[in-house]
Amino acid sequence: MPRTRLLLMLGAAIPLAACGADDIASPGTGGNIIINNPAPTPAPSPSPSPTPTPTPGVTPASGCPTIADPAGLTDSGTITNPTAGTFRVCTLPARITKSSQLPKIAGLVYRLGGRVDVGNDLGATPTAGEASVTLTIDPGVIVFGGVGVSWINVNRGNKISAVGTATQPIIFTSRDNMLGLNTDTSSGQWGGVVLSGRAQITDCDTGTAGTATCSRQTEGAADPALYGGATNTDNSGTVSFVQIRYSGFILGADKELQSLTTEGVGHGTKIDHVMSFNSSDDGAEFFGGRVNMKYFASIGAEDDNLDTDTGVKANFQYVLVVQRSNVGDSIIEADSDNTADGDNPRQNTIVSNMTAIHRISQSNNTAILLRGGTDYGLYNSVIVAPNAGSCLAISRAQTASATANPAIDELGAPVFRSVVMQCGATKYNGRNTVTDAQVASIFGSGTNNNNDAFTPTLTGLFVNGASETAVPAFDVTGLNADPQVTGGFFSAVTYVGAFKDANDQWYKGWVCNSATADFGLANTTGLCTAIPTT
């Protein structure tokens, strides 16, 4: 819904206006982004002169680098952050047609002027000699959305190589963040990062589910942004040590992007160490394909946090979810009840070592929602949801069915092992012919080291205490949701939750800090509201 924007006074008033989701605290950004500060007022001549205000440390690079793409980068002037300094702005072309690299240069940031496509859509099926394009983003690079509808779409057959490090993560963020306007409740200011691949999907816009004829359109995209195929080995590139801040701008018809959206990517795609901060939609959503991800932090998402759909086969390990107070929806949402939920392949998602802090107090809200016939496994996890309407909801008889049926790719009822939950008065919610008692039976509190009456002893918000340490862990090394992959994805663990203890700091150095999730400022790149100077 429309919201009123702030007025930014930098020499002249620049009006900013856009639309965002119902819960958006700081809506998406529109308009031009170039900020050229006026010359400072000269110091008064009488002696003694007042002590000058220190100048922020970053000074703009002299110009934009040359990249391989023939369209090149556009020098769009400078942008000033009140605490970090002034940066040279280099705008990416609307479509990158030749493999290009964005180097880390002191005093320089990269801008998305709208939708930026990596390569052309090369179709559902690979062909010899196709003109594949790779966009490489170096460690420490900052890329920001110059307008609300800015987003990156890696088209089918192309790749992104966004590989940061534990000390130099890549940051995707918004114009308002660059200008120092954001707070810990800002959100929805640009689109997000989308990887479109050629692996199997369901819920086709055209074609037959699970085949190369099946394709879908990216939600909300005005122009074609297709995904789907039958190549489960497909590779859309690598995303590693990345922050994605303030995403989720509405592209159209109430359709928002997430921080990270994968669409039919194959298991050749590598994803790890990803932080979503204040997405106005989901922290991340995975539409079909084959997905493997370790080390994911979803902080402050205003819808769901780990959302899986349309026949995805997914493995996730080490997941931290922290909601803002009464902002957001479910921790986990799996699939949708619709006329296509009998399509093959059927979703199978396995999650191990999640710690989730659910902070929604609404009678119709549930921490975990499984529906649409999904197969699902949750292992070695801690769910803190004392005010939720329910801890676990299961919808439709097919989702709850205990009968495995290979003919329809059905593995049986959802599986829970070594999962402990702190719930409110109502723990279970059955929907669409599933009863509350069936849901309770599927979870099986008191068996398989599951406990729906757990009292957490977490310290520092998410670090295991004595009660968590006492829960025996389930051996997940033999599990894999992807039937075409041999060998295990999951690491052996001796503990439940995302972190073994206070010394287990897989977030250290590459996440940002906020009031929602305090990692300890020294362990981060700084505040999520701030821009790093290195």
Side-chain angles (χ1 to χ4, degrees):
M1 63 184 287
R3 296 291 176 92
T4 302
R5 300 289 301 160
L6 298 174
L7 292 181
L8 170 65
M9 299 300 296
L10 289 173
I14 302 176
L16 308 176
C19 298
D22 288 347
D23 290 329
I24 292 174
S26 177
T29 301
N32 298 324
I33 60 90
I34 306 309
I35 309 298
N36 290 297
N37 286 337
T41 303
S45 55
S47 183
S49 297
T51 302
T53 301
T55 302
V58 174
T59 57
S62 59
C64 297
T66 299
I67 62 173
D69 186 88
L73 299 169
T74 300
D75 188 335
S76 300
T78 61
I79 190 168
T80 296
N81 181 276
T83 57
T86 301
F87 298 81
R88 175 70 52 194
V89 176
C90 299
T91 299
L92 275 65
R95 187 178 301 273
I96 297 169
T97 59
K98 188 173 182 180
S99 293
S100 299
Q101 181 176 8
L102 304 183
K104 166 68 173 172
I105 296 175
L108 187 147
V109 292
Y110 297 93
R111 171 183 180 263
L112 308 175
R115 170 177 164 178
V116 172
D117 283 281
V118 177
N120 295 299
D121 178 22
L122 299 180
T125 304
T127 59
E130 62 186 5
S132 179
V133 168
T134 299
L135 174 63
T136 300
I137 304 175
D138 284 358
V141 162
I142 297 172
V143 180
F144 75 96
V147 293
V149 294
S150 300
W151 58 293
I152 292 179
N153 179 45
V154 181
N155 281 296
R156 290 184 294 187
N158 302 281
K159 299 182 181 68
I160 189 170
S161 178
V163 181
T165 69
T167 56
Q168 287 283 295
I170 294 165
I171 299 175
F172 295 95
T173 192
S174 68
R175 171 183 178 248
D176 280 5
N177 195 193
M178 288 300 306
L179 292 170
L181 298 177
N182 284 351
T183 70
D184 275 346
T185 61
S186 302
S187 67
Q189 297 175 336
W190 68 292
V193 178
V194 178
L195 310 184
S196 300
R198 291 164 155 167
Q200 288 178 300
I201 63 170
T202 62
D203 295 52
C204 318
D205 291 337
T206 60
T208 303
T211 73
T213 65
C214 180
S215 66
R216 282 175 58 88
Q217 165 76 353
T218 299
E219 290 186 353
D223 297 316
L226 300 175
Y227 62 96
T231 307
N232 292 329
T233 58
D234 194 42
N235 180 0
S236 295
T238 304
V239 176
S240 180
F241 290 106
V242 165
Q243 296 176 22
I244 308 177
R245 308 178 181 180
Y246 306 110
S247 65
F249 188 83
I250 296 178
L251 296 183
D254 296 324
K255 302 296 186 182
E256 301 152 297
L257 292 178
Q258 293 64 232
S259 290
L260 175 66
T261 305
T262 71
E263 306 177 326
V265 302
H267 56 233
T269 308
K270 300 184 185 302
I271 307 172
D272 63 83
H273 297 89
V274 175
M275 179 187 193
S276 165
F277 182 74
N278 280 19
S279 168
S280 67
D281 199 60
D282 301 326
E285 187 163 9
F286 306 90
F287 292 91
R290 303 290 192 264
V291 176
N292 300 287
M293 180 171 68
K294 288 183 178 178
Y295 307 110
F296 175 56
S298 179
I299 311 300
E302 294 179 2
D303 196 359
D304 307 308
N305 289 270
L306 196 65
D307 196 341
T308 47
D309 296 281
T310 62
V312 68
K313 308 286 188 182
N315 298 308
F316 302 109
Q317 189 172 24
Y318 311 118
V319 177
L320 174 65
V321 171
V322 183
Q323 292 179 321
R324 305 203 310 267
S325 179
N326 280 322
V327 176
D329 199 349
S330 298
I331 298 300
I332 289 172
E333 182 181 85
D335 243 308
S336 300
D337 293 332
N338 59 32
T339 57
D341 64 15
D343 284 355
N344 280 288
R346 188 178 302 280
Q347 176 183 166
N348 182 24
T349 293
I350 299 175
V351 180
S352 182
N353 296 96
M354 169 184 278
T355 296
I357 311 300
H358 183 279
R359 290 170 167 167
I360 310 301
S361 55
Q362 297 173 1
S363 61
N364 63 345
N365 181 261
T366 186
I368 301 171
L369 174 58
L370 308 180
R371 57 186 180 177
T374 183
D375 292 323
Y376 213 95
L378 182 61
Y379 300 82
N380 302 327
S381 293
V382 179
I383 308 298
V384 180
N387 299 312
S390 63
C391 267
L392 173 63
I394 297 178
S395 176
R396 289 210 185 193
Q398 186 67 61
T399 315
S401 172
T403 304
N405 184 351
I408 60 170
D409 196 21
E410 170 61 62
L411 297 178
V415 176
F416 299 88
R417 300 289 185 269
S418 297
V419 176
V420 294
M421 305 190 299
Q422 183 186 31
C423 305
T426 302
K427 298 176 181 180
Y428 304 107
N429 178 219
R431 305 178 183 180
N432 292 317
T433 76
V434 179
T435 66
D436 296 355
Q438 283 179 287
V439 179
S441 177
I442 289 170
F443 181 78
S445 186
T447 65
N448 298 309
N449 298 312
N450 297 330
N451 184 355
D452 65 7
F454 186 72
T455 301
T457 58
L458 297 168
T459 63
L461 186 63
F462 49 74
V463 176
N464 284 353
S467 296
E468 291 78 21
T469 301
V471 180
F474 183 87
D475 182 7
V476 292
T477 55
L479 302 178
N480 198 322
D482 189 339
Q484 293 179 319
V485 174
T486 58
F489 164 82
F490 291 96
S491 301
V493 290
T494 58
Y495 58 92
V496 301
F499 305 97
K500 180 179 181 180
D501 52 35
N503 296 315
D504 184 4
Q505 298 182 334
W506 52 254
Y507 57 82
K508 188 172 184 179
W510 62 274
V511 301
C512 59
N513 211 48
S514 67
T516 306
D518 186 355
F519 295 98
L521 193 59
N523 295 324
T524 69
T525 58
L527 296 175
C528 299
T529 54
I531 297 299
T533 58
T534 58

